[in-house]
Amino acid sequence: MKKALMVFGVVMCGMVASQASAAEVRNINFAVFQKVDSAFEFDPIVTGRFSDFIQTMNGAQVLLLSHTRGSVDGDVINIQQDVLRDSSDGLNDMGINCNMTFRDHSTNNNTAFELGGLCRIIDSLNKNVNAVIPMASLPDTEQGVEAWVELYEDKASGTAFYANVGTGD
């Protein structure tokens, strides 16, 4: 039994060491847009720097921008921005609430990141939407891939979620 525990300990230490050498601290950039121009179409991948990305979204308004600094493999990222308003119709709640998991599958030779989870588009005046975001590969801006990838689009509300990963601030 003692020998089995020692072997298990050595194996676990080796696994932790190999994961730690590949993993680095990353910044997760997350954006949510809503159409203001009914003819506007969201692109699945938007290339270019941040300013190019914002310019491409000219037919949509920004609902949320988030820069989660210092993320590591397995982090659960909670992003919540909503407004509770008292009006003549009663209380109205509108916004975005997300719970997502960041995965870093990188090796010493290759970076590989994923983000996925559940977001809720809250609009008490209309229909609330539960957006299930399957784990999706994210581009790494530090590897020369200046791009944002669309994670989810709700055509009924005209809302789209985008993300990428980087090491810079």
Side-chain angles (χ1 to χ4, degrees), residues 79-143:
I79 301 172
Q80 298 160 329
Q81 180 177 343
D82 60 272
V83 174
L84 186 61
R85 179 175 298 146
D86 187 16
S87 72
S88 59
D89 298 328
L91 288 177
N92 298 325
D93 192 8
M94 292 177 266
I96 307 289
N97 290 338
C98 296
N99 300 303
M100 297 173 292
T101 301
F102 171 64
R103 298 308 318 248
D104 181 349
H105 302 292
S106 300
T107 65
N108 290 331
N109 301 322
N110 187 31
T111 59
F113 307 105
E114 291 182 316
L115 185 69
L118 178 66
C119 290
R120 187 160 193 205
I121 303 168
I122 302 168
D123 185 352
S124 64
L125 297 176
N126 296 299
K127 182 181 176 188
N128 292 338
V129 175
N130 289 321
V132 177
I133 302 172
M135 295 304 282
S137 295
L138 297 180
D140 182 5
T141 61
E142 295 299 316
Q143 298 299 313

Side-chain angles (χ1 to χ4, degrees), residues 14-32:
M15 287 175 60
V16 169
S18 69
Q19 287 177 351
S21 66
E24 292 182 39
V25 171
R26 294 290 193 219
N27 300 320
I28 311 304
N29 301 305
F30 185 74
V32 181

Side-chain angles (χ1 to χ4, degrees), residues 62-91:
V62 176
L63 294 182
L64 177 104
L65 286 175
S66 175
H67 175 79
T68 304
R69 194 167 175 218
S71 295
V72 296
D73 181 47
D75 279 357
V76 175
I77 300 169
N78 295 307
I79 301 172
Q80 298 160 329
Q81 180 177 343
D82 60 272
V83 174
L84 186 61
R85 179 175 298 146
D86 187 16
S87 72
S88 59
D89 298 328
L91 288 177

